[in-house]
């Protein structure tokens, strides 16, 4: 009645992003620090703490004695509420886990409605057996969801300003792919005169002319990473997690395939980087699968980025960033702030790298230095990154913006905003190519007119005015490639 604060609860190391009353006399909050905290609303006294990883996006009480927490990495966690304090977390097995959750709300007893950054809206049961159902329609990131008390009406809002009202009884089971869900682009590759894209749901490969947009060819294939060989005449495409197919770039006709151990993390030129669950990483020939060099990290890497000749490989896992120089058998690691790693890119010289995470941050690293520079780049989720030469990289995120970064100073050189969440990015033939959540591919002139990161021949030290000679562009990689071949 007076507007005076009854109590003030403090403790989160950063913004509070989720809040709910439990119905058991407590309040539970979640924040970008990845923690869940329970409070006494009368006094503000802390009652419980659960430490996690990625930022908490939403907390919901879907049933008596139960709490659901959604995190920025796309995971849904169900807790038992004991005297209003969440305990005993169980991670739900939900299609789309890994695509950032942006909103969640109760949709009747024992059920929640969840919105994701790729436009997906899901109905998820939290008590007893039940199948996850999807509501189709959004081609942009969902930002708000709600439902009536009985869960018979659901409303959702997206980045385009649209509010859609649903009848949950007509929701379809499964992981999407039915009419109304736009097939997001899963990977893109670019060379002079050709752009190739792959659908995220194995919708095949499509090749287009980057100047006119005219379609060149289309073939059924997997939705894994794509890259061209050094000449641009062959295309490598990953099917499943560990089969690399080689195709003629001009026609898309398959020229060969090889199955590799572990999982393909990245490829460039005629090389491919694979990782295994025990932390083993290998640089291999993309055609034969023969391993040139191997190393082992403390934890299994999630993403990787090699330089053109494989002299340097940047590897990232949750909480860990590593620079591996295979020819010298040298591995340098540095700790990363907590967050689900989604992409990594390295400049052509292997001196600077950038890591993206599901909390919308970029971590810029001068390889071998003791720390990384972290910069906020997206409100919700970063999805992809690619090296752009001259100590630059391009990142893409859920807000539809592609950003060109100067890796020597961790500053943005240019931005291109689009009207759909971006899901993939590649740089080739002097062009930046991005794929979005609506299945469209865009060729951007982001590099045109952007200031050079540094003059040729020098790389500024971060935080100082001193300069050191830059590695010899190309020569270092050729020498390393020769050593690897030997």
């Amino acid at each position: 009645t007076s507007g005076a604060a009854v109590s003030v609860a403090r403790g989160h190391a950063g913004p509070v992003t989720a809040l709910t009353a439990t119905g058991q006399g407590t309040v539970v909050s979640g924040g970008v620090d990845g923690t869940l905290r329970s409070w006494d609303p009368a006094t503000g006294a802390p009652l419980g703490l659960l430490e996690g990883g990625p930022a908490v996006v939403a907390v919901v009480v879907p049933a008596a004695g139960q709490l659901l927490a959604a995190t920025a990495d796309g995971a849904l966690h169900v807790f038992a509420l004991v005297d209003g304090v969440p305990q005993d977390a169980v991670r739900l097995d939900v299609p789309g886990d890994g695509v950032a959750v942006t909103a969640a709300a109760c949709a009747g007893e024992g059920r929640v409605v969840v919105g994701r950054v790729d436009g997906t809206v899901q109905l998820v049961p939290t008590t007893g057996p039940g199948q996850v159902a999807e509501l189709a329609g959004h081609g942009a990131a969902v930002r708000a969801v709600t439902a009536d008390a009985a869960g018979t009406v659901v409303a959702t809002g997206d980045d385009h300003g649209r509010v859609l009202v649903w009848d949950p009884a007509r929701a379809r089971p499964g992981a999407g792919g039915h009419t109304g869900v736009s097939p997001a682009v899963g990977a893109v590759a670019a060379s002079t005169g050709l752009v190739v894209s792959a659908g995220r749901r194995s919708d095949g490969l499509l090749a287009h002319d980057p100047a006119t947009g005219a379609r060149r060819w289309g073939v059924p294939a997997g939705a894994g990473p794509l890259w061209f060989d050094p000449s641009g005449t062959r295309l490598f495409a990953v099917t499943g997690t560990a089969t690399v197919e080689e195709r003629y770039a001009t026609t898309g006709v398959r020229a060969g395939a090889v199955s590799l151990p572990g999982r393909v993390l990245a490829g460039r030129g005629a090389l491919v980087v694979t990782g295994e669950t025990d932390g083993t990483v290998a640089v291999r020939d993309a055609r034969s699968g023969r391993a040139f060099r191997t190393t082992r990290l403390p934890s299994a890497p999630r993403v990787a980025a090699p330089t053109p000749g494989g002299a340097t490989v940047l590897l990232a896992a949750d909480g860990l960033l590593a620079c591996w120089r295979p020819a010298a058998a040298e591995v340098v690691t540095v700790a990363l702030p907590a967050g689900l790693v989604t992409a990594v890119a390295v400049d052509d010289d292997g001196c600077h790298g950038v890591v993206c995470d599901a909390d919308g941050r970029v971590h810029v690293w001068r390889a071998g230095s003791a720390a990384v520079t972290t910069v906020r780049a997206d409100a919700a989720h970063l999805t992809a990154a690619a090296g752009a030469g001259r100590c630059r990289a391009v990142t893409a995120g859920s807000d539809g913006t592609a950003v060109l970064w100067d890796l020597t100073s961790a500053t943005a050189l240019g931005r291109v905003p689009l009207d759909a969440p971006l899901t993939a990015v590649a740089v080739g033939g002097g062009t930046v190519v991005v794929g979005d959540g609506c299945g469209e591919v865009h060729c951007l002139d982001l590099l045109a007119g952007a200031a050079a990161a540094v003059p040729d021949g020098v790389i500024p030290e971060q935080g100082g005015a001193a300069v050191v000679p830059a590695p010899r562009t190309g020569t270092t990689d050729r020498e390393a490639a020769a050593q690897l071949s030997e």
Side-chain angles (χ1 to χ4, degrees):
T1 56
S2 67
V6 175
S7 63
V8 178
R10 305 184 186 279
H12 282 287
V16 177
T17 51
L19 192 68
T20 189
T22 64
Q24 297 181 0
T26 65
V27 170
V28 175
S29 60
V32 296
D33 58 1
T35 64
L36 284 175
R37 295 176 180 269
S38 303
W39 312 94
D40 180 346
T43 64
L47 301 175
L49 167 66
L50 286 173
E51 295 181 320
V56 179
V57 176
V59 285
V60 181
V61 178
Q66 188 181 74
L67 179 85
L68 178 136
T71 50
D73 61 351
L76 301 177
H77 308 270
V78 173
F79 301 84
L81 282 174
V82 180
D83 296 328
V85 178
Q87 299 179 10
D88 303 327
V90 175
R91 181 166 177 160
L92 298 182
D93 183 13
V94 178
D97 190 341
V99 178
V101 173
T102 49
C106 184
E109 182 74 12
R111 189 170 66 169
V112 294
V113 55
V114 175
R116 296 184 182 269
V117 77
D118 64 353
T120 302
V121 180
Q122 295 175 313
L123 291 171
V124 181
T126 62
T127 57
Q131 193 167 26
V132 176
E134 282 195 5
L135 303 171
H138 288 284
V142 176
R143 295 299 177 187
V145 299
T146 190
D148 66 344
T152 57
V153 178
V154 171
T156 57
D158 67 20
D159 270 350
H160 285 294
R162 296 175 299 189
V163 176
L164 305 181
V165 181
W166 308 93
D167 177 1
R170 298 184 180 182
R172 302 187 184 188
H178 49 272
T179 303
V181 174
S182 301
V185 174
V188 290
S191 69
T192 303
L194 193 66
V195 170
V196 180
S197 61
R200 177 178 284 171
R201 291 171 176 159
S202 300
D203 298 310
L205 301 180
L206 294 176
H208 293 86
D209 185 312
T212 65
R215 179 170 168 174
R216 295 281 189 85
W217 50 261
V219 296
L226 302 172
W227 70 94
F228 286 95
D229 73 347
S231 67
T233 60
R234 300 290 181 95
L235 174 74
F236 294 98
V238 178
T239 299
T241 60
T243 299
V244 178
E245 295 182 344
E246 183 180 2
R247 295 180 178 273
Y248 294 100
T250 55
T251 62
V253 174
R254 180 170 159 169
V258 61
S259 294
L260 305 176
R263 182 171 66 93
V264 174
L265 301 175
R268 193 161 185 179
L271 300 176
V272 61
V273 181
T274 60
E276 301 183 42
T277 55
D278 64 355
T280 299
V281 183
V283 175
R284 301 176 179 273
D285 184 281
R287 293 186 170 94
S288 67
R290 182 168 67 94
F292 293 131
R293 291 287 191 275
T294 61
T295 190
R296 179 172 291 185
L297 299 182
S299 57
R302 187 184 295 273
V303 288
T307 53
T312 301
V313 181
L314 209 63
L315 300 152
D318 295 343
L320 178 70
L321 177 59
C323 176
W324 176 33
R325 307 193 190 276
E330 176 189 15
V331 178
V332 178
T333 62
V334 66
L336 282 177
L340 176 74
V341 171
T342 56
V344 64
V346 63
D347 66 7
D348 288 351
D349 293 323
C351 292
H352 296 81
V354 59
V355 183
C356 302
D357 70 22
D359 295 334
R361 300 171 297 183
V362 297
H363 311 279
V364 180
W365 187 42
R366 180 180 174 87
S369 62
V372 298
T373 301
T374 300
V375 181
R376 170 67 58 181
D378 184 274
H381 188 67
L382 284 170
T383 54
R390 298 178 62 84
C391 302
R392 299 177 298 178
V394 178
T395 60
S398 63
D399 66 349
T401 302
V403 182
L404 176 66
W405 295 92
D406 174 359
L407 299 183
T408 65
S409 60
T411 56
L413 298 175
R415 299 174 183 268
V416 175
L418 299 171
D419 62 355
L422 303 183
T423 55
V425 63
V427 178
T431 302
V432 176
V433 180
V434 295
D436 67 25
C438 299
E440 296 182 346
V441 177
H442 310 266
C443 296
L444 310 177
D445 59 355
L446 189 58
L447 302 180
V454 292
D456 286 334
V458 295
I459 298 177
E461 292 281 3
Q462 291 190 37
V467 298
V468 297
R472 295 167 292 168
T473 304
T475 304
T476 300
D477 275 346
R478 285 198 297 271
E479 292 174 349
Q483 295 180 42
L484 289 176
S485 297
E486 291 172 2

